[in-house]
Amino acid sequence: MAGEDSLFDLTSAHLNTGLRGIPVGTCRTSYVTPLEGVHYCGYPISELASLAPEDVIYLLHNKELPNLDQSLEFRNDLRSRGTLPSGIEEIFATLPKEGHPMDWLSIGIHALGMLGGVDDWREDALNLTAQMPRLMGLIFRYREGRVDDIPEDDLKLSLVGRFTNTLALDGVEHAVMNRILSTYLVLHMDHGGGNLSTFAGKAVASGKATIYSSMAGAMNALSGPLHGRANQSCFEFVKRIGTSDPAEIERFVRGELEARRPIFGFGHAGLRAEDPRATAQFALGEEICPDDEYFKTIRVLREVAPRVLAENPKISNPNANVDIASGTLLNFVGLSDPEYYTTFFGWARVAGIGAQIIDERCVMRSGKGVPLYRPKYIAEQQELRHL
Ligand code: NMX
Ligand code: MLT
């Protein structure tokens, strides 16, 4: 791609780099700037963090925030789509409990498609969005063998409320859990077009697989430790620190770097400042759990780690990323097993990836849709002139 309107001049140096930074399309739902992070339909995430997930899902699908009537109508529409097709619980009853929750999520989404897909991009995307809270709750229930007293799905509740109601954890204040989960969902719904799971989901959809198959593919991509599953590793890392003393934390960070292990919760491929999604979660933690032991640890880590990481000039962003605080907040409301954390990330992304798939399949190129993904690979024996 050379010439006056060239966005990018490709050279052999761009081969085998994971398409890092190479423009491949346009995105209607969100973009990421190095300093302000993600914006959904033009709104910086910092302005959306405290909105209800339903309203932000509406934004991603309709490219504008709803007014009150639209918001109520959309919530009712989601309620009418929320009931799971029968057969899911029987499938969950057969899955291995030692399987990772992300594999359960991927299988669950596939099963929803097999049992209730209608082969329409918009309908299936909205149906899946509405079914996710119950599906998520059932993953916890069946994987943990707590199947005897599962409450009915209460469709009058919010999306997050339906999950909390299905999970029914003892001794947890539902209002606090709902607040933390609502913020978590809003912050994680979308992150531009090129993050691995979104790209993978859109690629599968370009072959005209269903939303369910495409989303299951996206969840498989999200499950890797370099992508979504980093949030699991991050809380495991915070637990290993075991102190909020600044000097001890600095020793710990230096020790990890000497042992050539990553400092989880810091750094980003595209951002060049603290991720506003981290800033928003720190603010929520200061309000909800300022004295929690893990929160005290990450509060100090947020000061110490960037200073130590910045000593290495190779590290392009030493600041906190989205994963630094989410595990601490989830743990505070009783979601103490880090293996589940990426499923919340996946639940959130169903909104953004679903909206992006609809845009690529039904809106772009005047409604014709983006063609089948088919990038070119150069045989090692070929010359670059064949590009
Ligand atoms: N701890 C240790 N080393 C780091 C870190 C970190 N937090 N961040 C960057 N580096 C290293 C990186 O591994 C690379 O080393 P090498 O040249 O030996 O391959 C070098 O610094 C330059 O990396 P960057 O270009 O700054 O970042 P890159 O795009 O390669 O990696 C991450 C981005 C997110 C993979 C990286 O910062 C990292 O591994 N962070 C820790 C793990 C983590 O928190 N992951 C969650 C990511 C969430 N998110 O993307 O939002
Ligand atoms: C994301 O939210 O998807 C992560 O920050 C990773 C990315 O944007 O590449």
Side-chain angles (χ1 to χ4, degrees):
M1 268 203 310
E4 211 177 306
D5 64 350
S6 162
L7 288 167
F8 208 89
D9 293 319
L10 281 179
T11 71
S12 56
H14 296 106
L15 298 175
N16 298 328
T17 58
L19 286 173
R20 190 65 68 94
I22 297 177
V24 293
T26 54
C27 177
R28 300 181 71 230
T29 56
S30 67
Y31 58 86
V32 183
T33 64
L35 299 181
E36 280 190 307
V38 70
H39 298 60
Y40 297 167
C41 303
Y43 293 94
I45 192 67
S46 55
E47 288 179 20
L48 302 171
S50 57
L51 298 191
E54 287 84 348
D55 290 341
V56 181
I57 295 168
Y58 182 100
L59 170 69
L60 291 168
H61 279 262
N62 297 287
K63 322 306 178 213
E64 60 179 17
L65 282 168
N67 62 30
L68 189 58
D69 287 345
Q70 289 164 329
S71 173
L72 293 174
E73 195 184 323
F74 187 58
R75 282 164 209 241
N76 282 334
D77 183 33
L78 290 176
R79 280 188 190 108
S80 72
R81 298 169 182 275
T83 305
L84 264 55
S86 56
I88 292 290
E89 296 193 39
E90 288 79 353
I91 291 171
F92 277 177
T94 67
L95 295 186
K97 295 197 168 42
E98 63 277 18
H100 194 279
M102 281 305 282
D103 293 334
W104 281 61
L105 178 59
S106 171
I107 288 169
I109 289 173
H110 246 313
L112 285 178
M114 284 188 275
L115 295 166
V118 297
D119 220 1
D120 176 287
W121 298 112
R122 288 179 206 275
E123 287 297 305
D124 280 335
L126 287 173
N127 289 344
L128 177 59
T129 301
Q131 291 163 344
M132 281 304 292
R134 183 68 173 179
L135 188 77
M136 284 287 297
L138 292 178
I139 289 174
F140 277 76
R141 286 299 199 135
Y142 275 85
R143 191 168 173 273
E144 289 169 3
R146 291 198 303 124
V147 294
D148 288 338
D149 52 352
I150 304 176
E152 292 288 306
D153 190 6
D154 186 349
L155 291 163
K156 291 189 300 308
L157 298 174
S158 66
L159 291 176
V160 164
R162 283 172 52 212
F163 166 76
T164 310
N165 175 62
T166 303
L167 190 63
L169 275 189
D170 285 340
V172 170
E173 231 183 285
H174 281 200
V176 180
M177 187 188 248
N178 289 350
R179 172 114 189 266
I180 284 181
L181 285 175
S182 292
T183 308
Y184 183 100
L185 290 185
V186 168
L187 295 177
H188 286 80
M189 279 182 187
D190 209 35
H191 208 243
N195 66 80
L196 178 65
S197 47
T198 306
F199 185 74
K202 291 186 297 189
V204 177
S206 79
K208 301 210 173 157
T210 64
I211 278 272
Y212 294 93
S213 302
S214 308
M215 201 64 76
M219 294 304 129
N220 296 339
L222 192 67
S223 72
L226 291 188
H227 189 22
R229 210 174 82 202
N231 66 2
Q232 170 183 332
S233 315
C234 189
F235 188 58
E236 287 161 350
F237 175 82
V238 170
K239 280 169 66 172
R240 275 180 53 224
I241 298 177
T243 173
S244 53
D245 177 76
E248 279 182 45
I249 290 187
E250 179 162 345
R251 260 196 303 283
F252 182 91
V253 168
R254 290 190 186 282
E256 292 297 289
L257 291 173
E258 269 159 35
R260 308 187 74 75
R261 286 191 288 266
I263 307 305
F264 283 95
F266 295 85
H268 196 271
L271 288 164
R272 293 299 171 259
E274 179 171 285
D275 190 331
R277 298 174 299 177
T279 315
Q281 290 178 91
F282 271 115
L284 185 60
E286 291 294 354
E287 206 186 306
I288 282 178
C289 55
D291 300 323
D292 176 75
E293 285 311 313
Y294 296 123
F295 191 73
K296 289 200 293 203
T297 297
I298 61 170
R299 185 193 282 129
V300 176
L301 190 61
R302 183 192 194 188
E303 303 303 322
V304 171
R307 180 165 47 76
V308 175
L309 289 169
E311 291 169 10
N312 178 353
K314 275 195 337 191
I315 297 182
S316 27
N317 180 10
N319 300 298
N321 64 43
V322 66
D323 292 330
I324 179 67
S326 53
T328 296
L329 296 181
L330 294 174
N331 177 69
F332 180 73
V333 286
L335 298 163
S336 54
D337 182 351
E339 278 212 313
Y340 286 98
Y341 291 171
T342 313
T343 61
F344 293 107
F345 195 164
W347 175 10
R349 282 290 153 100
V350 164
I353 297 174
Q356 290 203 34
I357 288 177
I358 292 171
D359 288 343
E360 284 213 353
R361 304 279 36 96
C362 310
V363 179
M364 289 179 179
R365 297 206 311 158
S366 310
K368 270 197 304 183
V370 173
L372 182 71
Y373 278 31
R374 186 61 178 90
K376 177 171 179 151
Y377 279 72
I378 310 292
E380 287 204 347
Q381 300 82 355
Q382 276 181 298
E383 302 283 337
L384 190 61
R385 63 185 146 80
H386 290 128
L387 266 174

